Amino acid sequence: MTSITVYSAPWCGHCHRLKAALTRAEIPYVEVNVDQTPGAIDLITEIGGGTWLIPTVVLPDGSGLVNPSLQEIRDRLT
């Protein structure tokens, strides 16, 4: 399975919960810290339709999900 990309920040509780759920579900992911990655906020703002919210997940097909549940991610990966 190709990994997904999770845009998050260390201070984000929703991000911590989603990453823990992904780990438990054995869904590989790459984490991008939006506080330390130039251009990350611009990218997730585009995915979010003009507003940035984390966690934002980019799937292997290039599509994005804003603050998704584990089930939403699973559904899109199958």
Side-chain angles (χ1 to χ4, degrees):
M1 173 187 295
T2 305
S3 66
I4 62 176
T5 303
V6 178
Y7 289 84
S8 66
W11 46 263
C12 173
H14 294 292
C15 300
H16 287 285
R17 283 187 288 281
L18 179 61
K19 292 182 290 185
L22 291 168
T23 298
R24 284 191 304 275
E26 299 181 353
I27 297 173
Y29 66 91
V30 174
E31 180 179 1
V32 176
N33 182 332
V34 298
D35 290 335
Q36 297 180 343
T37 306
I41 297 290
D42 294 334
L43 176 68
I44 65 173
T45 300
E46 183 177 324
I47 292 169
T51 303
W52 73 270
L53 184 65
I54 51 176
T56 294
V57 174
V58 176
L59 301 165
D61 67 2
S63 63
L65 297 169
V66 178
N67 196 19
S69 67
L70 178 61
Q71 190 59 51
E72 288 175 291
I73 293 170
R74 281 185 169 145
D75 290 348
R76 295 286 295 274
L77 290 175
T78 57

